[in-house]
Amino acid sequence: MSCGEKLAEELRRKGFRVTPQRGVILETIAHMGDHLSVQEVYSEARERLPGLNIATIYRTLESLHRAGMVDLFYPGSGPTRFTLRDPSAAHGHLVCTECEHVVDIDTDLIGRLVEEVAAETSFFIDPHHLTLLGICDACFQAGRGKRKIS
Amino acid sequence: MSCGEKLAEELRRKGFRVTPQRGVILETIAHMGDHLSVQEVYSEARERLPGLNIATIYRTLESLHRAGMVDLFYPGSGPTRFTLRDPSAAHGHLVCTECEHVVDIDTDLIGRLVEEVAAETSFFIDPHHLTLLGICDACFQAGRGKRKIS
DNA sequence: GTCAATGCAAAACATTTGCACACGC
DNA sequence: GCGTGTGCAAATGTTTTGCATTGAC
C-alpha cells in the first residue's frame, strides 16, 4: 500500500470521505515532502487530475488539519505552508528571513523550548506550529543580516 | 515634547522626512500602544487627518521599519501587526490561537530562547520578531484547546 | 437517500504598485 | 529645486464563500 493510500485510509477512519481529488492530493503531498504551499500542491496535483480546483485544495487542507493530519505554519512572508504531521514527534520550523529557507527543528529542542516558556508564562506553545524567524548560518556567513539586537 | 514629537524627531534624525501624515501616524501609534494592525492605525489616524490614505500607512510603516523604529510580527491568522521598538530590550509575542490574545514575552526569557536555539542549530532567532503560537492559560482553563502533543 | 465534497465564479481581504502631483528639506 | 512622500486607483496574491451539482458512504 502506498503512502498516499495509507493517508487516505487514515482520513476515512477519522470520518472524512475519500474522493478521487483527495486521493490525488494526499498522493501528491506524500511525494512532495514538507513545507508545501497550496499553489505548489495545486500545480503538481492538477497534472494528475486536470479538472482539480484550487478551492478543493484549500478545503481538503482544512479537513486534513481538522483530522490532525497536517500542520500549518506561517512563514514571515508569502502564503501559508503545511506539513504532514508525524503524530509521534513535535515539529517546528526555522525560517530564514534573508533566504526564505526553511529548516526543521529538532524534536528535543522543541520540547525544551515548550517547557521553558510554559514554566515561566503558563502559556503552552503548540509544538506543531512552532515557527521561528531569524538568520540562518549561511546567510550570516555571507554577511547578509545581522546577529545583534540593534 | 510629546511622545509623537520625539518619534518624529528620531525619524528625521535617521534621514527620513517628517510630513503631517507621518506626524499623525506616529502620534497615533504612540497613543494606541502595541500589537497594532494597519487598519487599526488607519481608522484612528484618519479621524485626526481625514484625507489620509491607507497606502501611506503601509509606506510609512515600511520606513519606520527601515529606520529600526518598529517591529513587525505575524500572528497565525489575520494581518501583520507591529509594535514600536524599545531599542534597549528584546521583545516577543505569545499569540493564543484560541482567543487571538497577544501577550508580550519577558526580555530575559527571549534571550535564553535565542541562545538555546543558536547553540544547537547555529540559527539566530530575530529577537524582535519572536512570535509563538499556542494556548494561553485562560483558554486552557476554560477547556478550549489542548496542551498535549496529539 | 443523505450529506459531505466539488467546480465555478465571485467576493473578501491584505498588500503593493504606477503615476501624477505636492511638499519637506 | 531636488527627490522623497502622498493620494488615487488599479493590480496582485491569497484565501473564502455561495450555490448548484456530484458522488461517497
Side-chain angles (χ1 to χ4, degrees), chain B residues 129-148:
Chain B
H129 273 246
L130 181 56
T131 302
L132 301 171
L133 306 183
I135 303 292
C136 73
D137 198 48
C139 283
F140 176 64
Q141 300 292 345
R144 297 186 288 274
K146 49 185 165 354
R147 294 214 179 180
K148 284 192 305 219

Side-chain angles (χ1 to χ4, degrees), chain B residues 17 19 21-22 52-53 56 59:
Chain B
R17 293 183 182 174
T19 62
Q21 289 87 341
R22 292 183 169 184
L52 186 61
N53 193 281
T56 301
R59 288 189 274 222

Side-chain angles (χ1 to χ4, degrees), chain A residues 36-99:
Chain A
L36 302 172
S37 70
V38 168
Q39 279 294 340
E40 284 162 3
V41 173
Y42 178 54
S43 307
E44 186 77 15
R46 205 174 27 170
E47 288 184 16
R48 309 193 193 195
L49 190 67
L52 186 61
N53 193 281
I54 195 164
T56 300
I57 314 270
Y58 278 101
R59 286 188 277 222
T60 296
L61 220 51
E62 207 222 308
S63 298
L64 291 172
H65 183 63
R66 284 211 313 272
M69 293 170 61
V70 303
D71 294 307
L72 307 177
F73 73 99
Y74 314 96
S77 65
T80 300
R81 295 185 168 267
F82 61 94
T83 290
L84 274 174
R85 179 182 292 194
D86 174 355
S88 66
H91 189 95
H93 304 101
L94 300 172
V95 182
C96 178
T97 51
E98 289 298 320
C99 68

Side-chain angles (χ1 to χ4, degrees), chain B residues 94-133:
Chain B
L94 301 172
V95 182
C96 178
T97 50
E98 289 297 322
C99 68
E100 317 259 285
H101 204 78
V102 179
V103 183
D104 288 342
I105 309 178
D106 175 71
T107 303
D108 295 342
L109 177 56
I110 295 176
R112 267 178 283 138
L113 297 177
V114 170
E115 277 172 34
E116 197 162 345
V117 173
E120 199 149 329
T121 64
S122 71
F123 183 97
F124 190 76
I125 300 173
D126 183 343
H128 293 297
H129 273 246
L130 181 56
T131 302
L132 301 171
L133 306 183

